[in-house]
Amino acid sequence: MSETQEPAAGPPAAPVPAQKKAGRRGGHPLVRFLVRRVLLAVLMAWGITLVTFVLTNLVPGDPVAANLGQRALGDPAIVAQWRAEHGLDKPLWQQYLIHLQGLVQGDLGTSQQSHRPVAQDLAEFVPATLELAGAAILVSLVLGVAFGVVAALRRDRLPDHALRVLSLIGISVPTFWLALVAFYVFFYRLQITPGSGRVDAALGSAPPVTGLQTVDALLAGRWDIFTSAVGHLVTPALVLALYTIGLLTRFTRSAVLEVLGQDYVRAARAKGLPGRTILFRYVLRSALVPVITVAGLAFGSLLSGTVLVEAIFAWPGVGQYAYKSATTLDLPAVMGVGLVVGVVYLVINLIVDVLYGVIDPRVRLQ
């Protein structure tokens, strides 16, 4: 009896990788993620301009009196002319639209105190704060992560207890008080650190390229200026870093202890892998994800919280500029500082999100 033969089936089709499918739907996942984050950052930047404008104009006080004095208030013609020159005679919504139009064109307005463009003032003061905050966060990351790892590996032993006390002191001590004590002890009494400012006045400054004294001195080959700039940078950077060191020490210790209890770490130990390999390849890569988040927020806080430290060490940064602008009700300068600080936070958050995918493969797969 004949049987009906079915046609021979061909080789099974190769499955399409998930990444290719994702690519056909709109490109690489990382590219789509970055595009979404950039669009969100633009939207949030617009929100920052709105919030800074509204809050600045809600501050009690009269900018006319702060800039012209009480005597000028008795002359209505002078007051009207000054308000017209600075656009304060228009409704608030119209002032905001003019302000927003200027931002799109790269114009942050004109400072009512220095009578220069706010963008020019910020280009002069922001690099000094970036140099100070960058040195502080670099020291904080190196020491904070190292102390946290040591405390976790020596849990409930003498190094752990000592580092936990140190971190508690760093978090508890007010930064402005520590800055005063450090300036008095190391400069005035012991005379082992330079005085105020960014560099010795007798040496001058290196030709400005980046605005960072240390970098510009290296680019110009001026080792004397570089040495002086580093000497002036050490004390205020360490004062600023102490709080962040204590914070990162506690977070790193907690994160490392959590990872040490995971099954894959126990499996790596059971396989006989060296302790250094387990620490750097398995433990730190997982533990650094929350640490990076804290470090990013801490860097933003350092940028916006250096006012008192800059005042004590006479550091010509954006903190000093913001303080003088606020006390004189220099509205364009205050809004410019708020916008710069907000944009710095957005950039830091974007960098932190990208670092998540670099450190943790699970984030890349998602």
Side-chain angles (χ1 to χ4, degrees):
M1 184 173 58
S2 63
E3 297 180 357
T4 304
Q5 296 183 353
E6 297 180 357
V16 180
Q19 292 183 355
K20 291 185 178 180
K21 290 182 180 180
R24 294 174 184 174
R25 289 196 299 266
H28 195 277
L30 182 58
V31 175
R32 297 201 308 271
F33 168 75
L34 290 177
V35 171
R36 289 197 303 268
R37 291 294 298 173
V38 170
L39 294 177
L40 181 61
V42 172
L43 181 62
M44 294 183 66
W46 170 77
I48 291 172
T49 63
L50 180 61
V51 171
T52 54
F53 180 84
V54 172
L55 293 180
T56 301
N57 284 275
L58 288 178
V59 173
D62 188 2
V64 180
N67 288 272
L68 298 182
Q70 293 294 333
R71 290 186 177 180
L73 293 179
D75 191 338
I78 295 178
V79 173
Q81 180 182 358
W82 193 89
R83 294 179 68 87
E85 288 179 356
H86 295 87
L88 299 179
D89 58 338
K90 299 179 176 60
L92 279 180
W93 66 269
Q94 193 171 355
Q95 294 181 35
Y96 175 69
L97 291 180
I98 296 175
H99 174 65
L100 195 61
Q101 182 180 2
L103 291 180
V104 174
Q105 300 174 355
D107 182 13
L108 299 180
T110 303
S111 172
Q112 299 166 359
Q113 287 296 309
S114 65
H115 304 290
R116 299 193 308 172
V118 175
Q120 183 178 349
D121 287 343
L122 292 176
E124 178 181 343
F125 292 110
V126 167
T129 301
L130 285 177
E131 187 173 34
L132 179 58
I137 197 64
L138 181 61
V139 173
S140 302
L141 283 172
V142 173
L143 296 182
V145 172
F147 289 166
V149 172
V150 171
L153 296 179
R154 299 291 186 269
R155 182 180 182 181
D156 295 332
R157 300 179 185 177
L158 181 59
D160 182 25
H161 295 306
L163 291 173
R164 290 170 68 181
V165 171
L166 178 63
S167 65
L168 182 61
I169 294 175
I171 295 175
S172 304
V173 174
T175 303
F176 73 92
W177 179 84
L178 184 63
L180 288 172
V181 171
F183 187 81
Y184 175 78
V185 172
F186 296 110
F187 170 68
Y188 183 74
R189 299 295 298 179
L190 302 179
Q191 297 184 356
I192 60 176
T193 59
S196 56
R198 301 179 66 188
V199 69
D200 291 338
L203 297 176
S205 300
V209 178
T210 63
L212 310 177
Q213 285 287 350
T214 53
V215 177
D216 291 344
L218 288 177
L219 293 177
R222 294 291 304 274
W223 293 100
D224 52 346
I225 297 179
F226 174 77
T227 304
S228 176
V230 172
H232 283 78
L233 184 62
V234 168
T235 306
L238 289 177
V239 168
L240 277 177
L242 184 60
Y243 173 83
T244 311
I245 289 174
L247 191 65
L248 290 178
T249 299
R250 297 174 70 89
F251 268 88
T252 304
R253 178 184 181 275
S254 177
V256 170
L257 286 177
E258 183 179 357
V259 175
L260 287 175
Q262 299 296 324
D263 293 336
Y264 61 87
V265 176
R266 296 193 184 98
R269 289 174 176 171
K271 290 180 180 180
L273 293 179
R276 181 176 300 179
T277 302
I278 297 174
L279 176 62
F280 288 99
R281 184 174 297 180
Y282 295 96
V283 176
L284 279 183
R285 291 193 65 178
S286 299
L288 283 180
V289 173
V291 174
I292 288 177
T293 305
V294 177
L297 296 176
F299 183 69
S301 300
L302 289 175
L303 283 177
S304 57
T306 59
V307 179
L308 294 177
V309 175
E310 289 182 356
I312 293 171
F313 289 94
W315 193 269
V318 70
Q320 287 281 70
Y321 181 71
Y323 172 75
K324 294 179 181 178
S325 302
T327 54
T328 58
L329 290 181
D330 190 349
L331 302 185
V334 172
M335 289 187 290
V337 172
L339 179 62
V340 167
V341 174
V343 170
V344 168
Y345 268 102
L346 293 179
V347 173
I348 290 173
N349 286 332
L350 180 61
I351 294 174
V352 168
D353 289 340
V354 173
L355 289 177
Y356 285 163
V358 174
I359 294 177
D360 194 343
R362 295 171 296 183
V363 178
R364 293 198 299 265
L365 293 177
Q366 293 175 0

